[in-house]
């Protein structure tokens, strides 16, 4: 695996891969890799001839009081995992390489960027879209792979790619869960064993909503109530949001149709976790 630390080196390496006619897949990450990330790498390997990944803890998507400083960093372990999985290129730039002093240019998807996590974390999605736009310019992949766990991120990146005419296919891959249902996340590493159990309430609440929807309930307020009540039962977990929205526009829906996104964010101790499901089925 070739590791590139500069934009110039990565751009050259990616162009070399593509000039030999290979379809290049790209998996952007912030490192601290887990099975969720590895599922993206495997999806990229299955659909492309060569895979590039990036590890960059992007400071612009963290708010001033968030966990940028303590975000888990595990470069050596990540490097080994990617190498074992057959990744050809790894981009691991410094902050200074990605954001030269004095940079004032942002990419923002207005409207969508203020919904769900964007409402609770002002400026978060502007940081995400800016860094993803920059990474796509450097790598110029044929396809880029993102986890459905960050469903709002996926919707916003799709919109950016469409409206700014990026020539890349955006592939969203299913959430990978632990055996007990907890969605895999680098932030799970912050949880102590008690909090790890409490965190299961997010998935439980989503499953309760799914059951009610499958039983025929279509009223969004009713379904959201079911989810919120379930979260409230776990006293030490503080709800940030529980919403049912259109998967593309991220606008709240009144009547919940097939394909609606049920999304939750909650604090378990000091750790903010997110999870979601897309309602799908023939019921009703
Ligand atoms: O999903 C993530 O890990 C990050 O938001 C991303 C897409 C790598 C941008 O920093």
């Amino acid at each position: 695996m070739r590791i590139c630390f500069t934009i110039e080196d990565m751009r050259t390496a990616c162009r070399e891969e593509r000039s030999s006619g290979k379809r290049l897949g790209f998996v952007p990450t912030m490192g601290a890799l887990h099975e969720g990330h590895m599922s993206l790498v495997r999806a990229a390997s299955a659909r492309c001839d060569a895979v590039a990944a990036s590890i960059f803890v992007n400071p612009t998507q963290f708010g001033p009081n968030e966990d940028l400083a303590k975000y888990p960093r595990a470069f050596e372990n990540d490097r080994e995992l990617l190498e074992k999985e057959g990744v050809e290129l790894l981009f691991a730039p410094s902050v200074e390489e990605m954001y030269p002093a004095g940079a004032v240019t942002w990419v923002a998807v207005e409207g969508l960027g203020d919904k769900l996590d964007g409402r609770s974390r002002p400026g978060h999605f502007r940081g995400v879209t800016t860094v993803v736009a920059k990474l796509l310019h450097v790598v110029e992949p044929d396809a880029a792979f993102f986890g459905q766990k960050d469903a709002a991120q996926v919707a916003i990146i799709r919109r950016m790619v469409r409206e700014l005419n990026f020539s890349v296919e955006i592939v969203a891959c299913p959430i990978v869960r632990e055996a007990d249902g907890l969605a895999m996340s680098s932030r799970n590493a912050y949880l102590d064993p008690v909090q790890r159990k409490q965190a299961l309430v997010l998935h439980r609440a989503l499953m309760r909503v799914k059951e009610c929807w499958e039983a025929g309930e279509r009223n969004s307020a009713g379904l959201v109530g079911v989810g919120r009540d379930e979260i409230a039962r776990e006293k030490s977990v503080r709800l940030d949001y529980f919403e049912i929205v259109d998967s593309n526009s991220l606008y709240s829906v009144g009547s919940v149709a097939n394909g609606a996104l049920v999304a939750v964010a909650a604090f378990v101790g000091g750790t903010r976790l997110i999870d979601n499901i897309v309602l799908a089925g023939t019921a009703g």
Side-chain angles (χ1 to χ4, degrees):
M1 183 171 70
R2 175 165 164 187
I3 305 179
C4 305
F5 296 101
T6 67
I7 290 173
E8 197 188 334
D9 193 19
M10 184 65 178
R11 183 169 273 151
T12 307
C14 291
R15 286 194 177 154
E16 277 167 18
E17 289 289 345
R18 292 178 71 233
S19 69
S20 55
K22 287 183 182 163
R23 179 174 158 83
L24 182 62
F26 177 46
V27 181
T29 81
M30 297 208 299
L33 303 181
H34 50 67
E35 264 307 297
H37 297 109
M38 301 323 286
S39 76
L40 304 181
V41 171
R42 286 181 206 117
S45 301
R47 296 169 71 129
C48 302
D49 307 308
V51 178
S54 62
I55 296 178
F56 179 63
V57 182
N58 173 35
T60 65
Q61 67 189 77
F62 288 81
N65 300 316
E66 293 185 350
D67 56 343
L68 172 62
K70 71 163 187 175
Y71 194 83
R73 287 159 171 89
F75 186 77
E76 263 318 299
N77 190 52
D78 292 348
R79 189 191 58 72
E80 267 177 38
L81 288 172
L82 294 172
E83 187 137 40
K84 267 196 210 131
E85 208 56 56
V87 166
E88 273 80 2
L89 301 173
L90 171 59
F91 184 39
S94 64
V95 172
E96 296 69 33
E97 180 70 8
M98 288 302 279
Y99 296 108
V104 290
T105 305
W106 294 98
V107 177
V109 176
E110 293 191 356
L112 268 77
D114 301 330
K115 300 204 171 356
L116 300 180
D117 307 285
R119 192 173 329 108
S120 323
R121 304 180 67 191
H124 167 68
F125 283 125
R126 184 181 78 155
V128 170
T129 42
T130 300
V131 82
V132 171
K134 287 166 75 78
L135 291 168
L136 291 177
H137 280 310
V138 174
V139 177
E140 299 177 290
D142 297 284
F145 297 75
F146 296 86
Q148 175 64 22
K149 185 169 81 67
D150 298 297
Q153 170 171 284
V154 170
I156 289 168
I157 288 171
R158 281 194 197 286
R159 188 78 174 260
M160 173 190 82
V161 159
R162 191 166 75 238
E163 294 187 2
L164 294 184
N165 309 102
F166 280 86
S167 176
V168 62
E169 180 194 358
I170 299 299
V171 182
C173 299
I175 297 177
V176 179
R177 298 183 180 281
E178 306 280 0
D180 58 9
L182 183 69
M184 290 204 184
S185 162
S186 303
R187 288 189 169 97
N188 291 350
Y190 299 149
L191 303 172
D192 67 27
V194 174
Q195 293 169 336
R196 168 73 184 65
K197 269 201 180 142
Q198 294 165 343
L200 293 174
V201 74
L202 275 77
H203 184 240
R204 224 166 35 238
L206 293 170
M207 289 301 102
R208 287 281 299 121
V209 169
K210 183 170 184 276
E211 276 162 30
C212 293
W213 185 79
E214 283 174 352
E217 177 62 87
R218 291 293 177 271
N219 179 270
S220 178
L223 290 166
V224 166
V226 167
R228 287 191 179 149
D229 286 351
E230 189 65 38
I231 300 277
R233 267 192 261 280
E234 190 63 73
K235 296 282 177 257
S236 47
V237 171
R238 182 165 58 86
L239 185 65
D240 178 355
Y241 66 72
F242 197 104
E243 289 190 45
I244 305 184
V245 300
D246 178 274
S247 307
N248 298 313
S249 72
L250 305 182
Y251 274 100
S252 294
V253 294
S255 171
V256 182
N258 220 355
L261 174 73
V262 188
V264 59
F267 288 89
V268 182
T271 305
R272 186 175 179 280
L273 299 176
I274 59 173
D275 199 352
N276 69 80
I277 53 169
V278 174
L279 294 171
T282 48

